[in-house]
Amino acid sequence: MATLRPLPRAFFARDPRRVARQLLGKVLVRREQHGVLTARIVEVEAYLGERDPAAHASAGKTLRNAVLFGPPGHAYIYFIYGNHYCLNVSCEPEGKAGSVLFRAVEPLTGIEAMARSRGIELRSSKDWRNLTSGPGRLCEAFGITRVRDNACDLASDASSLWLGDDGCRIRGIVVTPRVGIVKAADKPLRYVLAGNRFVSGLKLRPK
DNA sequence: ATATCGATTATCT
DNA sequence: GATAATCGATATG
């Protein structure tokens, strides 16, 4: 296995659109007592901070979204629809509230543990895809919650949750509108790895 | 195969 | 009191 290096703070201190693109192909890492969960990032969305009507930062700084306004490279986790957690990483220099939402990852290691967390058996290829394709699903697979992980430093491998680069080269990126929003719903700020099976919301190939 | 709907709660108006 | 950066179950063609 190739060496996995944490992404430097400066990686995140930029426009979230650039961070989003460059996060594709990088690795999400969860260090647990028992072992390590890793997965490749295959789908993300950029949120542009206070000037973006769809962003949680659009109404200014609150207790909930404070991490977005803090230093780059930290986890902003929110609870949604009374059911699910979603993971973002803060971008831009401190004071600016851009972020990237993690929408889907491709499991690499610790797959059985992810399946246990999700409460599913891995039988068909549909089950595999079900594991981590969706912002709520990947958080459940990785045991990510607001209490446990909000404000966690994702730029440090001393954290239980962090982001790394294993040198993987990606092939193509597809850009589409963001999913599940009504304001600014037309802007092309969703980035996916072309043809990746674990991207959320895609139809499975017929037959 | 796609469409619709209910769950369930932190946060903000 | 309404809403939400979702998911999974159920219904229908």
Side-chain angles (χ1 to χ4, degrees):
Chain A
M1 185 137 157
T3 58
L4 193 55
R5 308 173 63 90
L7 297 172
R9 183 90 40 216
F11 179 96
F12 301 100
R14 300 178 293 164
D15 186 296
R17 288 167 290 202
R18 291 185 59 192
V19 179
R21 270 183 182 277
Q22 296 202 13
L23 275 174
L24 290 176
K26 302 301 190 291
V27 179
L28 179 65
V29 184
R30 164 70 96 186
R31 186 163 36 79
E32 299 273 16
Q33 296 270 330
H34 317 292
V36 179
L37 310 183
T38 60
R40 192 165 315 283
I41 296 158
V42 303
E43 176 183 353
V44 293
E45 284 176 359
Y47 286 83
L48 306 183
E50 288 183 281
R51 68 195 172 87
D52 180 357
H56 287 179
S58 63
K61 186 174 176 177
T62 66
L63 186 60
R64 176 211 204 188
N65 67 20
V67 171
L68 293 175
F69 293 82
H74 290 258
Y76 167 56
I77 294 153
Y78 64 91
F79 187 61
I80 192 68
Y81 295 113
N83 281 294
H84 309 289
Y85 293 98
C86 294
L87 170 68
N88 289 247
V89 60
S90 60
C91 301
E92 300 183 303
E94 183 160 4
K96 290 192 74 180
S99 67
V100 173
L101 169 70
F102 294 80
R103 286 200 56 91
V105 297
E106 173 176 348
L108 296 174
T109 67
I111 293 171
E112 287 302 325
M114 292 183 205
R116 275 197 300 279
S117 296
R118 292 274 295 122
I120 61 181
E121 297 281 328
L122 293 175
R123 298 184 58 250
S124 64
S125 71
K126 195 161 134 254
D127 298 326
W128 279 76
R129 187 178 163 281
N130 210 9
L131 209 49
T132 54
S133 68
R137 291 172 181 154
L138 75 88
C139 282
E140 189 171 41
F142 274 71
I144 294 168
T145 66
R146 182 163 166 96
V147 167
R148 183 179 181 191
D149 299 303
N150 193 54
C152 173
D153 184 2
L154 300 178
S156 166
D157 59 8
S159 299
S160 157
L161 190 68
W162 55 281
L163 291 162
D165 184 354
D166 67 352
C168 174
R169 305 292 184 86
I170 65 167
R171 285 199 269 262
I173 296 177
V174 177
V175 183
T176 79
R178 294 176 292 189
V179 173
I181 58 172
V182 293
K183 299 170 198 161
D186 55 321
K187 299 193 179 307
L189 294 172
R190 172 174 176 256
Y191 304 86
V192 311
L193 278 190
N196 189 281
R197 189 160 81 85
F198 288 87
V199 165
S200 76
L202 280 189
K203 301 173 221 180
L204 296 170
R205 274 201 119 94
K207 309 235 166 87

